[in-house]
Amino acid sequence: MDFLRPGGWEEALAVKAERPGALPIAGGTDVMVEINHGGRRPEALLDLSGIAELHALEHEPAGAGDAPAGRVRLGAAVPYTRVIGELGADLPGLALAARTVGSPQIRNRGSVGGNLGAASPAGDCHPALLASGAEVEAVSVRGTRHVPIDDFYLGVKRNALAPDELIRSVRVPRATGPQQFSKVGPRNAMVIAVCAVAVALHPERGTVRTGIGSAAPTPVRAREAEEYIAGVLADGDLWERRDPIPPAAAGRFAELVADACSPIDDVRGTAAYRRHAVAVMARRTLRWCWDAHRSGASDPRPEGGAPCA
């Protein structure tokens, strides 16, 4: 196996174009596990850890359209530790998800860009990225594409990158309303999610977005649930009145989120358990978000709450 270490971004793109089978590596928290366990044997490793552009964290200004408060541009190698420490206010859902990733050592090395590259349906960051409406900056010597997060996941550990493309950054709209994340696992971190749910309120558009992990071949949104609860909030003028969501509506939302799943039985849980857990987490995360919207609290969960349900 060859080990390739380009000196800069342009050289990395040239190497990837010449050797599309080279596997990118920065933190190595996923790649090295697969290699060490014999699950993967790439023709070459493309070390991107020394490329400064991939470690940049930038705040893009507010604009029209889908990012009225602006975006945060996360370089592909920005570690989870920085997301947790620096972006709790701007990207609260993603910061909550990042807190549940691995151990402190893993969070110091692993990144959202690496999570996207691996494209595992159990990746902790995917539900929060779906709920917030992120997009992936994919670059090759041919140019740059901005891939909406909804179009990025193609199958189990398959993403929309072309063989000669690398992830340069993830662009995530800054939150304009409460966001929450919850996952089921034996403990808060150092565990693969049995299933996970993220919910984000977007009051400026009167919409709600969701993200579900580890309950389908890819991370998914519950679009029917989103449309249903947005209709309830609009019809009751609840965005302005800030009254409680009717329990029957919250229950129906939870059912629709569970209906969006297509889970399997495996060593971590049964399909039936995952559907039940997703419904419970959907109801809880919606309540946490709505309580925060009503009160202005940053985190309305009991005693600050733990991200695991």
Side-chain angles (χ1 to χ4, degrees), residues 178-267:
Q179 301 179 354
Q180 288 289 344
F181 172 83
S182 181
K183 82 176 186 182
V184 166
R187 50 185 179 263
N188 280 356
M190 296 183 69
V191 64
I192 298 174
V194 177
C195 49
V197 171
V199 171
L201 305 186
H202 300 272
E204 80 288 352
R205 298 197 300 269
T207 61
V208 178
R209 284 181 66 115
T210 60
I212 308 167
S214 204
T218 67
V220 294
R221 284 172 59 194
R223 295 176 185 271
E224 188 176 351
E226 295 171 3
E227 293 173 3
Y228 167 77
I229 200 65
V232 170
L233 298 177
D235 292 345
D237 195 26
L238 298 185
W239 288 109
E240 294 299 324
R241 293 169 54 187
R242 304 198 180 205
D243 289 342
I245 296 175
R252 181 56 180 158
F253 171 80
E255 292 174 358
L256 291 171
V257 173
D259 287 346
C261 303
S262 53
I264 61 171
D265 297 334
D266 64 16
V267 295

Side-chain angles (χ1 to χ4, degrees), residues 140-164:
S140 71
V141 294
R142 298 175 288 109
T144 299
R145 294 190 300 142
H146 292 100
V147 184
I149 196 68
D150 294 345
D151 301 328
F152 188 76
Y153 308 109
L154 302 184
V156 178
K157 297 187 177 182
R158 293 176 48 235
N159 60 43
L161 293 176
D164 64 342

